[in-house]
Every structure is written in structure tokens, then in C-alpha cells.
Amino acid sequence: PAALVWFRRDLRDFDHAALSHALQAHARVFCAFVFDTDILDALPSRQDRRVSFIHASLAELDARLREKGGGLIVRHGRAEEEIPRLANELKVVTVFANHDYEPAAIARDTRVANSLKDNGIVFRSFKDQVIFERREILTQSGKPFGVFTPYKNAWLRSVQPRDLGAWPVADFAGHLASPPEGSHLPALSALGFETCDLRVAPGMSGGEALWEAFTGRINQYHAARDFPAVKGVSYLSTHLRFGTVSIRALAGNAHARSGAGAESWLSELIWREFYQQLLFNHPHVVEHAYKPEFDALHWEQGPAADALFDAWCEGRTGYPLVDAAQRQLLASGFMHNRLRMVSASFLTKDLGIHWLRGERFFAQWLLDYDLAANNGGWQWAASTGCDAQPWFRIFNPITQSEKFDPQGKFIRRYVPELAAVPDKFIHAPWKLKPAEQNAIGCVIGRHYPAPSVDHATAREHTLARFKAIRSEH
Ligand code: FAD
């Protein structure tokens, strides 16, 4: 009997749990992807880099599956209707997929499984995108971890070679079934989307090339990772998000290496799993503070706050590093991790705007957008999360800039109007004397905005905001 593998955030043809299980158990295995209108219709723009990334990655996946005698069936519609319909058409007995831990995906998969069951078809799903999932790593009292370091230590104590081993595909590729006639990948325009320029090469080949390049830098990762002007990080997040790389191959490689660089990078991969298990075990974080008392925080609202929010979105806060960060996001779909922390802290603690507004803005623009990591990162910065930045520790956007972009190299790349500002003033250009501003053609308030808030005053407001909660509880 035949089976169907439903690809989602696992767009590769190697080390793939669902594909491997299907091929080992069935003589004929079809492969499918659905451009899910439940997701696509909710996107605010028809120019979405993620849709372009997925489309290009699917083209490569389809070509590689065809080389092996298979191919990809691509549908456009509601996944929860398309998958049961396709399973019936192909007369498969089982549909295979990999786990997704987002609440909406879990609900969708439950509906798909029920609908398949009504037709006598089995739905089977597997752990694939993480080394440890759900409730696999628990505290001694059997609870999910809410603090990172003990979670990481437990993760490192638990990991065995078998957890990092690949799910074989190539050995069983003879079982791949070729798609029915006419099931080609539709053009992006047929899906109603425009093709976007991608600064990250998509597909398995793009992931492979980035990883190859990063292996030459991984030993310096711990020292270079915080400097946005330096090529210190791996830039693999989008590939990890869409599964064009294998987490087992990456984590296994980092785990086998010695040295502070590889250790620190593995630790970031563990943060990724920490937030995934957090989302699975505490789905209320999607809309609420992890710590419920922080839902009562009084955030700034109204027209003045809306204007500040717009300025933040567009990179015109008057704080150069924050503006460079926001403009990097708009221009490329990426933002360096240090800058995500600085920018999120600025929105929530300097502008006093609700973390959910920032989280949703990032969700709209990040190519690597991942609900678990984004929500975790925002709640960390806003101090509403588990193991978050303590609320009384407030990033100073000028000090952060001096420390992590000392010569303003990154700032100048994204905020060209500050190009001529001397290094000494690049972090706080309003401190230049008016005559100096005139001389270099960068007048604050005309060529570049004046600071939208005063940091010292904003800091006091934030401390008061949090203290009010403490006295209420
Ligand atoms: P590297 O430094 O090379 O790290 C390797 C991998 O580890 C990353 O690709 C990522 O998968 C994982 N990782 C690293 N840091 C974190 C972290 N703090 N939390 C979870 N996973 C991590 N990451 C996303 O993948 N998607 C998001 O939507 C996202 N939103 C964020 C929002 C905020 C406010 C903050 C503070 C962080 C967010 N992160 C998010 C985490 C982190 O900023 C990015 O993963 C990282 O910048 C991606 O670059 P890289 O691949 O070069 O990372």
C-alpha cells in the first residue's frame, strides 16, 4: 500500500524523520506540500520574502526528489481539506508528517488526523525539527523547565549519539512514487505573490553553503557573535526555520567539536529548543505574559504612542543603533540577535509600548520568523517572560551602541544620513554642536530625527510601570 509524506517546515530530502519512516514502511511513497491559504491569506502583503524562500526551496526539493524517481505534488488551498482529499485520490493508507509545536498547527493537525480517520487513513507524525521536544527534558520534579541554564544542563546530560543520528532516506529512495501527471510547482504569481529578492540563498544548497562557510568561523563565534558589523554568526536561522538544514547534523557537529566557539553556538541551538518546549507546554504565551502578573502592566497607548511606534517601525527614533536595526529588518528580513535585543528593549522600555505590538511587527518582517523564538525573545526583552531580563535592568541604547558597534560601522551601513558623523558622536549625534551639524550636512531634526525620548526619563517611567505591578500584587 502507498503512503503520503506531507512536507511543512522540513523542506529537505535527507535526514528526514517522516520521509524515512514512510519509505521504510511503504513500497510507494508520494510527497506533497500545500500552500495553505489559511496561512497565506492572513499575510499582510503579497510581497513576502518567506513565500519566495519557500517557493525556491520547493523547486530544489522537487528537482532532487525527481532525480531519485519521485517528485513533489504541490497544492494551493486549505491544508486541512487538501491533505485528506489528496490522500483519498492517491489511495494511500497512511499520511506521514513531522511534529509542529505551534498551537494553531497542533489544532490543524488534529483536524487533519480526524478527517483522515473518517476515511480509514492513519496520520502518523514524528519528532524532527528538534533534538528534544515537548516533555522530554523535565526537572527532577517532572515539570517543564522555566529557566534556561538548568534546562541546558539537563539537555547536555541527556543527549546520546542516537539523538544526533540521521534518519536515512537515500537507502530507501527506490520506494519514492512519481507524482501524478500535471502536479508541478505553480509559479509564485499563480499563488498571488510577487517574487522578492532574497539575501539568503534558499533551499538545501543555500543551507549547505552557509554552514560550510560558518564552519570556518565557528571557533570565533563566542567572541564575534555580538557585533552586528562583523560576520560572526551563522545566518542559518531561516534554514533552521524551514528545515532546509538538519538540526541533528548541525547540533551533532557542534557537539563533537571542542572549544568555546562551538560550545557557545550549541548553546544557541539549545535556546531554540528551550523556547519550543516552552511554547508547547505553556501555549498561553502566544497572547499573554509568561508570568501572568505582567499582563497587568500599563503600556503607553493613544496617538502619541502610535506615532512613536510608527517611528520605531520605520527606523526613525533618533537613536542610531535602533534605527539601523529596524532598517536592516525592512531591507533584508534579517536582524542581528544583539540588535533584536536592543530594539525590543527600546520599544518596550524606552517607548513603553506593549511587547505584543513589537512581536507582531517582527513576525511580519522576519524571514526566519518563528513563533516560539520570537515570542521568547520579546518576552525576554520586555521582562515578562520566563528567565527574562530582570525588569530593573534596562539596556541603555547609547551604551549598547558604543559597546557593540564602536566605530558605528553597522550604523553607517543602514543610516547613510549619519555617514559623515565622527565616530565619537555616531551613537548620540544630537550632541554635536549646531555648527558642526551644519558643517557635515547632518542637521538633527532636519536630516536625521532628534531622539524621540530621553532615555533617563524613559527609564524612570519603566521602573515605575513595573513597581506599580509589584505593589498591586
Ligand atoms: P546564530 O547566532 O548563528 O545561532 C544559531 C541558531 O540558534 C539560530 O539560527 C537560531 O535557530 C538559534 N538561536 C539563536 N539564538 C536564539 C534565541 N535567542 N532564541 C531561540 N533560538 C535562537 N530567532 C528565530 O529563529 N526566529 C525569530 O523569529 C526570532 N525572533 C527573535 C526576537 C527577539 C526579540 C530576539 C531577542 C531574538 C529572536 N530570535 C529569533 C533569536 C535570534 O535573534 C536569531 O535566531 C538569530 O539572530 C538568527 O541569526 P543566526 O542564525 O545567525 O544565529
Side-chain angles (χ1 to χ4, degrees), residues 104-401:
I106 293 172
R108 175 203 60 203
D109 287 355
T110 305
R111 291 193 295 272
V112 169
N114 287 335
S115 161
L116 289 169
K117 199 167 152 207
D118 293 342
N119 291 299
I121 301 168
V122 177
F123 182 72
R124 293 183 64 195
S125 65
F126 302 87
K127 174 175 76 171
D128 180 78
Q129 55 159 313
V130 287
I131 306 300
F132 295 116
E133 63 171 8
R134 298 178 175 176
R135 296 176 58 84
E136 285 187 328
I137 302 282
L138 295 174
T139 63
Q140 284 190 339
S141 55
K143 294 207 175 76
F145 279 95
V147 183
F148 176 68
T149 304
Y151 171 83
K152 173 179 148 182
N153 292 337
W155 192 106
L156 288 169
R157 273 197 309 276
S158 305
V159 72
Q160 298 294 323
R162 66 171 190 286
D163 299 311
L164 304 169
W167 289 106
V169 170
D171 297 350
F172 309 96
H175 294 178
L176 283 169
S178 57
E181 284 294 307
S183 35
H184 286 288
L185 176 64
L188 264 177
S189 55
L191 303 168
F193 282 83
E194 289 173 33
T195 306
C196 299
D197 279 343
L198 294 172
R199 299 210 189 161
V200 183
M204 294 168 269
S205 55
E208 176 74 30
L210 276 177
W211 168 245
E212 274 298 309
F214 181 62
T215 53
R217 307 193 299 268
I218 191 168
N219 288 336
Q220 293 87 49
Y221 176 76
H222 60 300
R225 60 181 297 253
D226 268 320
F227 300 91
V230 174
K231 213 172 181 185
V233 294
S234 71
Y235 306 102
L236 277 163
S237 48
T238 308
H239 289 282
L240 280 159
R241 167 64 180 82
F242 293 110
T244 39
V245 290
S246 147
I247 182 61
R248 287 167 293 282
L250 267 47
N253 188 298
H255 190 250
R257 286 172 192 259
S258 50
E263 206 177 287
S264 160
W265 197 66
L266 180 61
S267 188
E268 295 309 313
L269 296 181
I270 302 175
W271 267 110
R272 175 176 170 271
E273 306 210 345
F274 175 68
Y275 283 137
Q276 297 253 11
Q277 61 88 31
L278 193 91
L279 176 62
F280 180 81
N281 290 304
H282 305 281
H284 75 275
V285 297
V286 176
E287 299 282 341
H288 297 281
Y290 171 81
K291 295 181 183 146
E293 66 269 28
F294 290 131
D295 269 346
L297 279 166
H298 295 291
W299 301 99
E300 301 300 323
Q301 283 175 324
D306 289 348
L308 288 171
F309 180 69
D310 289 345
W312 174 82
C313 291
E314 292 162 16
R316 1 173 225 97
T317 67
Y319 281 86
L321 192 65
V322 175
D323 291 343
Q326 290 297 118
R327 294 187 201 183
Q328 178 185 35
L329 176 63
L330 300 180
S332 68
F334 184 78
M335 192 192 290
H336 187 278
N337 180 62
R338 169 58 50 181
L339 303 179
R340 294 187 205 204
M341 297 195 294
V342 169
S343 192
S345 173
F346 187 83
L347 183 78
T348 54
K349 296 196 177 151
D350 280 88
L351 303 183
I353 290 174
H354 201 307
W355 60 271
L356 261 173
R357 292 183 75 179
E359 196 242 12
R360 285 181 186 159
F361 186 76
F362 272 27
Q364 187 180 329
W365 283 92
L366 281 172
L367 183 53
D368 66 18
Y369 167 60
D370 175 75
L371 175 54
N374 193 44
N375 184 284
W378 272 95
Q379 296 224 35
W380 181 89
S383 299
T384 60
C386 72
D387 203 8
Q389 169 96 316
W391 58 267
F392 46 82
R393 280 199 36 208
I394 298 176
F395 275 174
N396 179 323
I398 305 167
T399 319
Q400 288 286 314
S401 186

